[in-house]
Amino acid sequence: MASIVLATGFGSTAIAPSVTTRIVIAHLTGDAPGANAAAHGWSASQDAVVWLIRLPRVLLAAIVGAALAMVGVALQAVTANRLADPHLLGVSAGATFGAVFATLFLGAIFGPFTLSLLAFAGAAVATLAVIGLAHAHGRLERDRLLLAGIAVSFVMLAAANLLLYLGDQRAASSVLFWTLGGLGLARWDMLAIPATIMFAGSVTLFGRRRELNALMTGDLAAVTLGVHVARVRAEVFLIGALVTGAMVAVSGAIGFVGLVTPHACRPVVGAEHGRLLPVSALLGAVLLIWADVLARTLIAPEDLPIGVVTALVGGGCFIALLRFQKRR
């Protein structure tokens, strides 16, 4: 909550936290001042900036950050690979391909759900391809999984670029948005779908916390504990594709959140997923909120792609974590 209030006040026009809080409370209680904002202690422009522009963007950052962090935790558990995350396993690239295809060739054929549906379809296809390539001798090879994810990611991004070349040349900015990420399109009416999918995905993954704990010990140990390994792994991959597809549809492909956040949380709360999942969601939300603040303030009034910021910050944090673990 503190990050939401503070981040909403940051920008080319700084707004005090007390003013931000009073504006939000006024709108939530139905006492929106509108043109009479000055009588409430703030200007009409401040009211519009906070309620219509910045707060939806900050809330979208929190939703996307929490969702990607939880998916990263779950993927690292079912693959028993600490390098797994939606970006490295090609899920984000597949969702990007689906979103680009919908943008260039389909429009709103399925109404407001078109982008989410096509992004999910692309993420699902990429996930199935990675799983198929990583299987050897009837089981999922962890080393092959990461290599397959990188290969599928390159193929999907190349396909997205090919669609751009074959489609409308004026859509280059849209494709850049999907490949590098951005939250500048956030509006109140687009928060419901990603928030619902994030909440449903988090509840489902939290309900599988015991199975995730067992899978971290290896397939054989999980089977002896009564876990149906293939079914649980398929469910988690499906949930990961659905959640990642919905997030990519509204924010583009954002990397490193799902990779770095679990590593930052495990030294604090341990590897038990009953604690790791909610704490990772909280840290992922906070991380992406402040990454977005950097994205819109470093070269203000222009926006940096948030994927660039998360890669720089996340990569630096990951290197620091590796050095800390090595010294310990």
Side-chain angles (χ1 to χ4, degrees):
M1 292 300 294
S3 291
I4 289 172
V5 172
L6 293 174
T8 304
F10 276 96
S12 56
T13 301
I15 300 175
S18 59
V19 176
T20 299
T21 304
R22 285 187 286 135
I23 291 174
V24 173
I25 292 175
H27 281 272
L28 292 178
T29 57
D31 188 28
N36 299 321
H40 290 71
W42 58 84
S43 66
S45 62
Q46 288 178 319
D47 185 88
V49 165
V50 168
W51 185 252
L52 297 178
I53 300 175
R54 291 187 188 167
L55 187 58
R57 180 168 179 160
V58 171
L59 292 178
L60 182 61
I63 293 169
V64 173
L68 294 179
M70 286 190 299
V71 171
V73 170
L75 290 179
Q76 290 178 14
V78 297
T79 61
N81 190 325
R82 296 293 179 89
L83 291 177
D85 90 319
H87 201 66
L88 289 179
L89 290 184
V91 183
S92 293
T96 298
F97 171 78
V100 170
F101 184 82
T103 302
L104 295 180
F105 297 103
L106 294 183
I109 188 172
F110 301 118
F113 302 100
T114 303
L115 276 179
S116 296
L117 288 174
L118 268 293
F120 166 65
V125 170
T127 301
L128 291 175
V130 171
I131 294 174
L133 291 172
H135 260 91
H137 310 295
R139 62 192 182 93
L140 197 66
E141 295 282 351
R142 287 181 290 175
D143 295 336
R144 291 168 62 95
L145 185 74
L146 187 60
L147 295 175
I150 294 173
V152 170
S153 180
F154 276 113
V155 171
M156 286 293 182
L157 291 179
N161 291 330
L162 178 61
L163 290 181
L164 173 63
Y165 179 77
L166 297 176
D168 187 356
Q169 299 299 310
R170 295 172 297 178
S173 59
S174 298
V175 175
L176 187 65
F177 168 78
W178 298 122
T179 55
L180 297 180
L183 300 170
L185 301 179
R187 303 183 310 273
W188 282 109
D189 58 359
M190 66 182 293
L191 296 183
I193 294 176
T196 301
I197 293 177
M198 185 274 291
F199 179 76
S202 64
V203 171
T204 306
L205 291 176
F206 189 77
R208 296 287 183 269
R209 60 191 181 279
R210 293 184 177 88
E211 289 88 344
L212 295 177
N213 290 336
L215 285 170
M216 286 293 292
T217 63
D219 288 2
L220 292 178
V223 170
T224 61
L225 293 172
V227 176
H228 194 299
V229 173
R231 185 182 65 194
V232 172
R233 184 170 283 140
E235 289 178 359
V236 171
F237 274 121
L238 180 63
I239 294 168
L242 174 61
V243 174
T244 303
M247 299 307 116
V248 169
V250 295
S251 67
I254 299 175
F256 273 97
V257 177
L259 175 64
V260 173
T261 306
H263 286 274
C265 292
R266 285 191 187 95
V268 181
V269 299
E272 202 280 314
H273 286 80
R275 297 188 301 271
L276 184 60
L277 280 167
V279 173
S280 294
L282 176 63
L283 182 60
V286 172
L287 174 64
L288 202 59
I289 285 172
W290 289 106
D292 182 56
V293 170
L294 290 176
R296 56 188 166 88
T297 57
L298 284 178
I299 58 171
E302 299 295 328
D303 279 6
L304 274 174
I306 194 170
V308 174
V309 178
T310 56
L312 291 174
V313 175
C317 292
F318 196 63
I319 292 171
L321 283 171
L322 290 176
R323 292 183 61 84
F324 171 74
Q325 291 175 357
K326 180 180 180 180
R327 287 197 302 268
R328 189 174 63 177

